[in-house]
Amino acid sequence: MSDLVLKIERLGKMYRLGQFGTGTLSHDLNSFIAKIRGKDDPAKLITHKNERDVKAIHDFVWVLKNLNLHVNKGDVLGIIGKNGAGKSTLLKLISQITSPTEGLIKYKGNIASLLEVGTGMHPEMTAKENIFLNGAILGMKKEEIKKKFDDIIDFSGCQMYVDTPVKRFSSGMRVRLGFAVAAFLEPDILIVDEVLAVGDYEFQKNAVGKIKEVSENEGRTVLFVSHNMGSIRNLCNRGVVLNQGEISFESNNIADVIEHYQKGNSIKEINFNKVSRSGLGNIQFNDFKILNVNNVETKQFCIGDNIRFYLGLENYTQSNQSVQIAIGFRSSDDRVCSMIGNEYLDYNISLKPGFNSVKCEVFEVPFSSGKFIINVILKKNQITEDWIKDLTYFEIQGGSFISEAYTYPNNYNGIYLKHKWDDK
Amino acid sequence: MKENNSSEIKWTRVIGEEHNLFKLKLNELFKYKDLLFRFIYRDFVTLYKQTILGPIWYFIQPIMMMLAYVIVFGNIAKISTDGIPQPLFYLSGIIVWNYFSECFLQTSDTFNENQNLFGKVYFPRLIIPLSKSISGLLKFCVQFLLFLFFFFYYLYNGVIINPSYYIALFPLLLIVMAMLGLGLGLVFTSITVKYRDLKFFIQFGIQLLMFATPIIYPLSSIGHSASQLKIRTFMYLNPFTHILETFRFVFLGKGEVYIEGLIYSFVFSFIVLVVGILIFNKSEKTFIDKI
C-alpha cells in the first residue's frame, strides 16, 4: 500500500492581468458588493485559460485550473512544462507563499521549499551568521544548525571564509553556501525549483548527488521543477507535464513524460520560400524534419540520443538523378562540429522526377550541451544544386550518454566519447 | 476502498480551507521563535556595520536632536518645559517618540521590504514585524540609558526632580507604545500592499502626529479657556498624550496624568493591535500576487 504524503484536489489559482491602477478600487468594491449580496464575484465570471501566446481580452486568467495530484512517500516527482505553464505557481502554492483561489492542498509532515538558495542572506553578515539566519528562515532549530554546522561548512567548501561578510563572496560561493544549508534540512517533502542551474560542475554534482541521496536513502519525497531534461531523467522516478495550467500527462515512467513534453512543444514548419539558398535549383529541398527515435518531431535531445532526419526533395528535371546530400552541424559560436553525407558512406541516392523523401539517422550524438545549427547541401556530379545555410537547429541539454552518472563539466565543450574502463 | 483510506489520513496541514479569521496560529509563531531571535540579532549587528563609531550612533542621534530642540524650541521660541530642565524634557520626548515611530515605520514597510524573501520561502509573516518592534525596544533601552545618565546628572547637581512611585507604570507605557506602533504598522502595511497611496501619507502623517503630541511642549501649556479646551479635547483623544505626560510624571514629577486617559490609551492600542493582526493575517495569504 503506497503511502500518500501530498494530495492536491481541484486546485485553481486565478491571477489578474495587466496593472493595478486606479481601476483597482472599483473592482474591489464590485467584488465586495457581490459578496455581501451573496452572489458570485463578477470578476471570476469572465476569465481566460492560461495561454501565454494568445492576446488577452478579459482581466483575469486561471494560471492553474482543476489540478489533481497524488504524491506518495519517497517519490521524486519531476514537474515539466513550457514557460508560464504554471509550474512555479504550483510550487508556490504548495510551499504556502501564496494561497490558492480554490481547491485544497493536503500534506503530511513538514515541507521545505528551495525556490532559491540563500534566501534572506544578509550581505553584511559573515558566512557563519548567515548560516544560522538562513537555517532559521528555512525552519531549522538553533541546536539543529549548531550540530550540523561543521558539515555545512564542509559541504559548502568555503572553510576559509567562515568569518567573512557574504558581500565579499562571489555569486557562486553564495549559492554554494545557500545550498549547503538547504542540503542539511530534514523535511519530509522537499521542493526544488531549478536551483541546480547555477554553480560550477563540482557544485552541481554535489547538489544532484545530495538530492538523490535524500530521496533514495532517507525515503523523502522530492518535487522537482526543471527545464533540464537530463537532470529530470537522472533524478526523478515519476513525472507530470503541465500545460496551460492543467496536467496534460502523468506517468511513472520518466522517459515517457519527457517524450510527451517534447512532443507537445509546437515546432514551426520551415518556410522554404524564405530560406537563403544558392545553387542551380534543378533539385531542391522542400521539407526538413528532426525526429527522435520514436519519430516524434522535436528540437531537444540529450547527449547520446539518436537523431533522425527526414528530408523532402523536389526533382524538377524529367529524369532520375543520382545526388550527394550532406548535413553540416555548427555550434552557436560558429564552430564547425561535424557533417554527415551519403557520399562518405558510399551510399547511392537516386531521385525520381517529382517529390522524394530521404531519411537518415545519427547514432549516439556525442556533442556537448548547446545549440547546433544545421546547413544542408545537395550536389549532383559535384555541382551544387541547392545549398541552404542556417536552415534550422536542434538543442542538446544534459546527458544520458554516460547514463547513470553526471554530465561533463559545464565549461567542457568538446565531444563525448563512448568508452569503457576496466581495472581487473 | 481507496477513497475511504485517503480520508482517514491525518494531514498535518490543509492549505486552502476557509480559515477562521480569529485563528492566529500562535503555536506556529512559537515554533519559529529561533527565527525571531535571528532577525533581531540581524537588525542589531548590521545596522552600524562598517561604521567607525558603531553603536555610539545610538546616542549621537538623540543628543543632536535634543540640542537642536533646546536651541530652537527652548531658547528661540521659549516654549515652557514645565520647570523641568530642558535637556531632560526634550530627551524624554525624543526617545519615547523615536521608539513609536521606529516601530511604526519599520512594520508599515514589512511587505514592501521583504517581498523577495516572502516570495521565496514560507514562515509566519508576523515574525518580521514582531522582530522589528523588539529590536526597536532594544534601541529604546539603549537610549533610555542616555536619559538615565542625564536624569542622575541633574539629580546629583541638586536640581529638584521628583520621580513618582508610579514609576512602576513604566513597563505598561512601553507595552502601550509597542502595541500602538506594531498595530498601526500592521494595518498600514496590509493596505499599502495594494494601495500605495498610503505610503505618501505615512511620511508626513507621522510628523503631523508628532506635533499633535506633547513632545516639544507640555500639556500644561494649553490652558482651560473655551478656545483652548477644544485643543485639549483633541489632545486627550491622542493616546500618545497620556503616554508622554505619564512618562514625564513618573520620572520628572511634572505632567498631567489621568487614569481614564491611561485606560483609554491601553484599550485603544489593544484594539488597534488586534485589528492590525487580523488584517495582516488576511492579507499575508495573497499579498505576493498584489504587490
Side-chain angles (χ1 to χ4, degrees), chain A residues 13 28 96 105 107 109 167, chain B residues 12-13 15 41 50 195 289:
Chain A
K13 178 72 181 171
D28 287 356
Q96 292 187 66
I105 300 169
Y107 65 81
K167 64 178 172 181
Chain B
T12 314
R13 180 95 203 268
I15 306 169
Y41 177 77
Q50 221 170 353
Y195 305 103
D289 309 333

Side-chain angles (χ1 to χ4, degrees), chain B residues 82-100:
Chain B
D82 238 359
I84 301 167
Q86 283 181 354
L88 268 187
F89 181 84
Y90 293 124
L91 200 57
S92 61
I94 289 166
I95 61 167
V96 169
W97 186 254
N98 265 359
Y99 176 48
F100 163 74

Side-chain angles (χ1 to χ4, degrees), chain A residues 85 88 92 160 175 218 247 288 331 377:
Chain A
S88 295
K92 275 186 180 169
M160 186 186 273
V175 172
E218 301 165 44
I247 291 181
F288 191 88
S331 66
I377 188 162

Side-chain angles (χ1 to χ4, degrees), chain B residues 116-144:
Chain B
N116 286 333
L117 184 57
F118 287 178
K120 294 296 180 194
V121 63
Y122 175 80
F123 54 87
R125 307 314 194 198
L126 206 53
I127 291 275
I128 293 267
L130 267 182
S131 75
K132 293 287 178 198
S133 29
I134 295 175
S135 44
L137 189 65
L138 289 175
K139 193 175 160 188
F140 172 81
C141 289
V142 174
Q143 295 185 341
F144 185 65

